[in-house]
Amino acid sequence: MLEIQKIRDNTAACIEGLKKRNFPDPEDQLEKILNLDDLRKQLQKESDGLLAEINSLSKQIGELFKQKNINEVDILKAQVAEKKEASKNLEDRHKEVLTAIDELLYATPNIPHTQVVAGKSAEDNEVYKDWDSPFPELHAGALPHWELSDKYGIFDLKLGVKLTGAGFPVYKGRGAKLQRALINFFLDENTKAGYEEIQPPIMVNEESARATGQLPDKEAQMYHATLDNLYLIPTAEVPVTNIYRDVILKETEFPIKLTAYTPCFRREAGSYGADVKGLNRVHQFDKVEIVQFAHPTKSYDHLHEMLAHVEGLLQKLELPYRILRLCGGDMGFTSAMTYDFEVFSVAQKRWLEVSSVSNFETYQSNRLKLRYKDENGKSILAHTLNGSALALPRILASMMECHQTEEGIRIPKALHAYTGFEIIK
RNA sequence: GGAGGAGUGGCAGAGCGGUUGAAUGCACCGGUCUUGAAAACCGGCAUACGUGAGAGCGUAUCGGGGGUUCGAAUCCCUCCUCCUCCGCCA
């Protein structure tokens, strides 16, 4: 969530930023927050004063007891009782105001970076780096991945329906092996680039889900094990980022770079058509995530370093890609800047999103309470970043479609050592 | 799942109703000494919010939440976590 101090110091810039996202009536929203914060300060001042008086009276009572001056004690006790009543009321109001502020902050998205353009939807995204070579030529009768899957027996959605429900694919044979190969390939590449491999739990508690912003507003996106009040993670970002919840780092520890493979679970109801066909949108999928915790002055350097890393992966997979910088309206709620990677599927004649790399600046760390000490010993919020490197189903689909030949699906060279085969036929 | 024990500062560990935000040791930082280092000695060393130009002051926090009391790290309730024993089990 946003820092109130930042809103106070840069109100105009915050309003500008929210407008880029088409956030309705940002002036009103921020004003409400600031007014409530003023009220909060005033209430705390009153409450602290009252508590100080109570504390002081209690000490006096202690002294009087030692002196066996019981009559005086009763007078002071009465005073304390009175002040306590008032203090209780103040505290209740204080809590209410705090809750109200939180609710408003939860409902306010991150301020986009100044370079992010205004826009309403995907059409307004900037092409940051286009694919400038010809697209690979496919043979006549090239197929979309769901038909290729039937042809070569790569995954089985109907079987998933039998076992679980729609959107839970079953991978088979070389398809399953390819999944495993990709996971290992990505983890190895990420590790080589300096990311430490983490194997986190794939269920998290409420506190973790709250800290990375899945709760309260995106509750319906997550599978919830109600008996134990645990949530299946929608992305490794949740457990991995929470490793640094309530942590104060040393400035020298930056940057912290972590990578994790996990299954991801998303309920995402409400889409239809080509968007959800085949592997385009499923409820359970595998993803290798990269996460960085960075010094605020360096976070954009790291963002671009992550970009270059993901780009390298796509090159090794020999896929035609482009990089978009998302406009304000298409960016995620918590992001300050996001780049999307898209692979062009000649078979489907459209771009498929395969990775998203974002800088959250302090939006996440504020809720996480992830800070570092600067040279003056002051606590400063760190920046958090993450990206997919990479998500499996979309990549698998892209590879199937882009590398299909009349003989079968060609496996890019970089993967041969992992798959043990060079073609799926 | 059952029975018992325990959770205090970065770590270890006192305190078990009244100047205890918390002894002591270790670690860490600064200084003295030293050619340098070590040792020794001196000093510093939690977080958040409020307030103040600042020094500082106020408030809250001893696993989380609630309660008793004029006053709680200390008593009570509840939840969580860890340890020991029994049961079950990949």
Side-chain angles (χ1 to χ4, degrees), chain A residues 57-69 73:
Chain A
L57 284 171
S58 294
K59 267 181 197 160
Q60 288 179 42
I61 290 171
E63 287 303 313
L64 290 173
F65 265 119
K66 276 183 197 157
Q67 295 162 18
K68 304 234 159 52
N69 195 341
V73 164

Side-chain angles (χ1 to χ4, degrees), chain A residues 67-362:
Chain A
Q67 295 162 18
K68 304 234 159 52
N69 195 341
I70 306 302
N71 295 339
E72 288 283 328
V73 164
D74 286 339
I75 297 168
L76 292 188
K77 272 194 188 179
Q79 284 180 26
V80 170
E82 205 176 293
K83 289 186 195 296
K84 240 188 142 175
E85 188 62 35
S87 149
K88 185 105 185 142
N89 287 335
L90 273 174
E91 233 172 276
D92 287 347
R93 278 186 66 200
H94 190 234
K95 271 186 197 160
E96 277 170 30
V97 170
L98 243 35
T99 310
I101 292 175
D102 273 352
E103 273 172 22
L104 284 172
L105 286 176
Y106 284 153
T108 312
N110 201 356
I111 306 299
H113 188 276
T114 47
Q115 285 178 11
V116 171
V117 299
K120 290 205 165 78
S121 66
E123 273 106 77
D124 301 317
N125 292 335
E126 293 175 272
V127 178
Y128 177 77
K129 182 172 181 182
D130 209 351
W131 179 254
D132 49 12
S133 312
F135 292 119
E137 299 249 338
L138 295 185
H139 58 281
L143 301 169
H145 69 270
W146 51 91
E147 288 180 35
L148 289 167
S149 174
D150 290 343
K151 186 169 171 188
Y152 298 114
I154 291 169
F155 60 86
D156 190 333
L157 290 170
K158 288 210 178 88
L159 189 52
V161 170
K162 175 182 175 184
L163 302 182
T164 307
F168 289 89
V170 178
Y171 299 92
K172 300 197 293 191
R174 289 197 160 180
K177 184 82 186 278
L178 180 54
Q179 286 271 119
R180 190 150 55 86
L182 282 166
I183 292 165
N184 284 331
F185 170 68
F186 293 144
L187 282 172
D188 284 352
E189 291 293 316
N190 295 348
T191 307
K192 269 188 242 165
Y195 293 87
E196 186 189 358
E197 184 175 342
I198 301 285
Q199 224 179 71
I202 60 173
M203 294 180 114
V204 293
N205 57 31
E206 209 179 312
E207 223 181 331
S208 294
R210 193 169 291 280
T212 35
Q214 275 66 37
L215 293 178
D217 35 298
K218 284 181 228 150
E219 170 133 41
Q221 297 272 15
M222 286 188 293
Y223 289 96
H224 187 191
T226 52
L227 199 56
D228 297 290
N229 197 26
L230 296 173
Y231 294 87
L232 267 74
I233 58 170
T235 158
E237 168 195 340
V238 178
V240 171
T241 306
N242 268 281
I243 293 173
Y244 285 92
R245 166 153 51 86
D246 288 319
V247 168
I248 299 179
L249 293 163
K250 291 197 190 87
E251 217 166 350
T252 50
E253 290 179 77
F254 290 121
I256 293 166
K257 300 167 71 176
L258 305 174
T259 183
Y261 153 70
T262 66
C264 302
F265 302 90
R266 298 190 183 177
R267 296 185 65 234
E268 334 216 37
S271 252
Y272 61 91
D275 282 346
V276 296
K277 229 162 170 189
L279 295 177
N280 285 343
R281 185 163 301 183
V282 286
H283 289 308
Q284 177 180 335
F285 63 96
D286 292 310
K287 180 160 62 67
V288 179
E289 183 82 355
I290 49 177
V291 176
Q292 289 208 24
F293 304 93
H295 193 281
T297 58
K298 298 274 166 56
S299 66
Y300 280 92
D301 293 344
H302 293 300
L303 180 67
H304 289 96
E305 169 207 317
M306 288 165 83
L307 225 52
H309 177 66
V310 172
E311 195 174 355
L313 295 177
L314 292 175
Q315 286 167 355
K316 284 182 182 163
L317 295 178
E318 300 166 30
L319 294 166
Y321 65 91
R322 66 174 184 181
I323 307 174
L324 303 178
R325 182 155 67 196
L326 300 192
C327 70
D330 203 32
M331 263 194 332
F333 196 78
T334 56
S335 174
M337 188 186 279
T338 295
Y339 291 93
D340 269 9
F341 283 78
E342 294 187 329
V343 166
F344 191 75
S345 164
V346 176
Q348 286 189 67
K349 295 195 177 51
R350 60 183 198 124
W351 291 96
L352 304 171
E353 184 198 324
V354 294
S355 177
S356 192
V357 182
S358 304
N359 188 353
F360 304 98
E361 298 190 4
T362 58

Side-chain angles (χ1 to χ4, degrees), chain A residues 396-413:
Chain A
L396 182 65
S398 305
M399 284 173 52
M400 288 165 72
E401 295 184 11
C402 292
H403 297 328
Q404 61 182 304
T405 67
E406 278 169 304
E407 290 75 46
I409 296 162
R410 187 174 62 79
I411 304 296
K413 214 167 170 185

